[in-house]
Amino acid sequence: MRVDLDSLASFSHTGAEGGRRAADALETLTGVPAHCELSRTTLVDADGLSAFLGDAATRIAVPFDGALAGRALVSFDEPFAARVAEETGMGGGALPEVANILTSGFVDGWAEEADDTIDIQPPEPADDESLVGDVAVADGAAFVFESRIGLAGVDGVCRFAVLPAPEEFVDYLAADDSLSPDALAAYAQLTAQSADAVADHLAAMTGIDPDAVESHFDFVPVEDVPSLLDDAAYEGAVFETDGPVSTVLAVLFDESEAGAVADALVPSEDPDADLAESAIAELGNVTASGVLDGWANALDTTIDVSTPSHVHDDGRAVLDTVAAAYGRHADTVAVVDATVALSDDLTCRVCAFPSPEDADTVAEIAGTLSAGDADPDFPPEYGGDGT
């Protein structure tokens, strides 16, 4: 069940170009320099799509049909929405117009490569019930083209997600045998199982039951890899693997409060810094094993992991090194992306970057896990019942 990553790379770059076009259209409207902070093509379990799309107060849907059908969902952070209203002089009426312009800018790139036109429908409010709708391409996996648009000097962003209609998108994929819907669904399943393993291992090591688990499989232009994380402080560990699949794997804890990671792992009024760092490295090691054990079982082999490298930096700086390493091999990288919220103050982000040269092996892992033949084994030394 092979997915040609070169074909997905082409999809990813088309999405990235759509994001840039959308930013240019917004800059023309507002007169404020705009930029596309992140573009990625994502496979996400449809059941988790609502969480993936976020909970911004203002969300607008823009349907479209023709050569490609579906809808765009545009979410506005409050500072971003306020600045757009101010610059355009349109007040609250500016946001539907912005959503329409962003969508037009994005789909223009698709329309140029299609035999038919793509028609934009009037914007409409997106409530919780209509937010997701019928978006699954196959076996509950949704295909999303996401961009995040920023304005110079403005806090917050506009999150712009394009969700193709499933029936039309499957027909679109049928023109390319390397993009089978079933194979794409297998990648989403790979990520979901990896995220569940992360949650189980974290719960066993910390004694904290996760509040939420989110996962998605991303295809990201290599230059956008650092943008997968924000510039908040993260502490954790980075690993490299050796075996049938070479992977850089980062296990990072978002410190919404300074010292939250150390407090969770080494409860003390004044935890020893060296002890806290050691505990973080060990937790990262066990969490990484939770992901890799499932992959190794799928291949009926072992995957060796390096000694953890402790990191404590802003998220984008951590991923800069990953982008630099993969930039020598590929224009687009695949990312197994999982987020586990342990509490309001402690969130774990796991990003695994399989080498583009091992795409066939990743496809084999995804196909086996999707078939349900290789559930991850929970290491007994950490309590297989999650205690």
Side-chain angles (χ1 to χ4, degrees), residues 318-361:
V318 172
L319 294 187
D320 267 338
T321 56
V322 177
Y326 281 107
R328 299 192 299 267
H329 305 292
D331 294 331
T332 301
V333 297
V335 189
V336 176
D337 198 332
T339 301
V340 178
L342 293 170
S343 68
D344 290 340
D345 299 327
L346 188 60
T347 298
C348 179
R349 182 75 173 270
V350 177
C351 295
F353 301 86
S355 169
E357 298 176 352
D358 293 330
D360 286 334
T361 305

Side-chain angles (χ1 to χ4, degrees), residues 57 120 150 185 187 240 303 340:
I120 306 296
Y187 280 89
E240 295 184 22
I303 298 176
V340 178

Side-chain angles (χ1 to χ4, degrees), residues 40 42-44 52 191 214-218 335-337 349:
R40 60 180 170 184
T42 296
L43 285 164
V44 58
F52 173 80
T191 311
E214 179 190 333
S215 66
H216 36 91
F217 196 88
D218 302 330
V335 189
V336 176
D337 198 332
R349 182 75 173 270

